[in-house]
Amino acid sequence: MNSTVISTAIPTVIITRPQHQAQHLVDLLEQVGRQSVVFPMFEIEEMLENPELDQAICDLEDYALVMFVSPNAVDAMLNRIAEKDWQWPSSVAIAVVGAASRQALLKHGIDEAAVRIISPTNTERTDSETLLEELDLTALRGQKVLIVRADSGRDFFADALLGAQINVQAITAYRRITPIFDESKKQELQTYLNAACAWVVTSSAVLRTLLAWCSQLDQAGAVAKMQQQNLYVPHFRIAEVARELGFKHISLSASGDEKLLLALQSSL
């Protein structure tokens, strides 16, 4: 179990991302004196054997655009490119949804000085629909677009491009894995639940897992108690799912850790 002492004065921030993706937000919170705990609700597993993605990398200059569905998709493809000691071709534009994916690109040395990066200009609503509005679908007609994605998710973006007579190839580059809910995690979750923490949730799947895990706790009313926790989410679609699942206190921020930090600080 995590040995962190949970604050009762200022709500401890529970970050439900994988450990390696949580550190930036942990650092930001530490800078403003906020206590945080990383409680991963999913893990990312890159597909080591992925001949389809390897072939797409070899043929990268054939694509007019590569769309990454998440920072994990960025890492999955660009890690493989780095292994081959290749550079991203400047002629191939990149499309991403949110600020976290832009940060992931920057981590790999890709910025708009070298490559055209397209993302929603409306930072209050970052999703496939708003990303689609930024694209010149007429110019892309008949060209090839690559979508790098997880093993699950919506098909809206691919379907919209296909409807615009654009050649789309979607490749699965990583899997989301839910951790085993063992006794240690049960004790940890129960501690956080009873302390009324602030929960950062960046995936709608986490919400369902939280309720499923709470239903397995040896505590009456654990699910209802979870639904009363304060949630902080960076995407309106996650907020919609939270409301559908019965969560009562939902704070929606714009995309990016800095925006999440502002939302957390403004709630004090």
Side-chain angles (χ1 to χ4, degrees), residues 2 10 17-18 40 52 63-64 86 90 92 117-118 133 167 175 182 185-186 194 222 236 239 245 254 260 263-264:
N2 196 299
I10 300 176
R17 294 170 175 164
E52 191 178 16
Y63 297 97
W86 291 355
S90 59
V92 181
I117 302 174
I118 306 164
E133 293 173 1
N167 299 321
R175 302 182 182 93
D182 56 19
K185 282 194 174 292
K186 286 181 181 179
N194 293 331
F236 82 96
L245 293 176
L260 276 169
L264 285 159

Side-chain angles (χ1 to χ4, degrees), residues 201 203-212 214 222-229 231 233 237-250:
V201 176
S203 166
S204 56
V206 164
L207 298 168
R208 296 183 175 88
T209 302
L210 273 173
L211 295 185
C214 284
V223 170
K225 197 164 191 174
M226 186 70 240
Q227 291 168 324
Q228 293 294 332
Q229 300 287 302
L231 299 186
V233 304
R237 201 169 297 282
I238 303 174
E240 287 179 349
V241 173
R243 283 189 287 270
E244 291 169 3
L245 293 176
F247 287 88
K248 307 301 182 185
H249 308 290
I250 307 160

Side-chain angles (χ1 to χ4, degrees), residues 38-233:
V38 181
F39 184 58
M41 299 291 296
F42 64 94
E43 299 294 343
I44 298 298
E45 180 182 81
E46 292 185 12
M47 300 172 62
L48 299 180
E49 296 296 326
N50 198 336
E52 191 178 16
L53 182 57
D54 289 336
Q55 187 60 54
I57 290 172
C58 291
D59 300 335
L60 196 51
E61 292 188 358
D62 293 343
Y63 297 97
L65 176 73
V66 176
M67 186 270 193
F68 294 103
V69 302
S70 69
N72 296 311
V74 172
D75 289 339
M77 185 171 187
L78 293 184
N79 284 341
R80 297 176 93 88
I81 290 177
E83 290 172 2
K84 301 175 186 295
D85 198 27
W86 291 355
Q87 299 294 320
W88 190 274
S90 59
S91 60
V92 181
I94 294 174
V96 295
V97 172
S101 292
R102 279 184 170 269
Q103 290 171 355
L105 288 170
L106 192 59
K107 181 182 69 176
H108 290 278
I110 296 179
D111 59 22
E112 288 187 291
V115 179
R116 184 186 178 208
I117 302 174
I118 306 164
S119 62
T121 53
N122 179 6
T123 58
E124 300 300 320
R125 176 169 174 160
T126 55
D127 61 0
S128 296
E129 285 84 349
T130 51
L131 176 58
L132 192 67
E133 293 173 1
E134 306 291 336
L135 300 181
D136 186 342
L137 298 182
T138 301
L140 287 171
R141 185 173 299 160
Q143 299 198 63
K144 293 177 65 176
V145 171
L146 175 65
I147 300 176
V148 184
R149 65 182 184 182
D151 59 342
S152 61
R154 298 195 306 150
D155 293 324
F156 168 83
F157 195 81
D159 291 343
L161 295 185
L162 287 169
Q165 300 178 26
I166 296 166
N167 299 321
V168 179
Q169 182 181 10
I171 296 178
T172 298
Y174 66 97
R175 302 182 182 93
R176 288 174 176 265
I177 300 174
T178 302
I180 296 172
F181 192 43
D182 56 19
E183 283 304 314
S184 175
K185 282 194 174 292
K186 286 181 181 179
Q187 293 177 29
E188 199 172 348
L189 176 58
Q190 192 156 317
T191 297
Y192 303 151
L193 190 63
N194 293 331
C197 299
W199 294 76
V200 171
V201 176
T202 54
S203 166
S204 56
V206 164
L207 298 168
R208 296 183 175 88
T209 302
L210 273 173
L211 295 185
W213 284 5
C214 284
S215 70
Q216 299 176 50
L217 294 177
D218 187 18
Q219 177 177 339
V223 170
K225 197 164 191 174
M226 186 70 240
Q227 291 168 324
Q228 293 294 332
Q229 300 287 302
N230 292 313
L231 299 186
Y232 294 82
V233 304

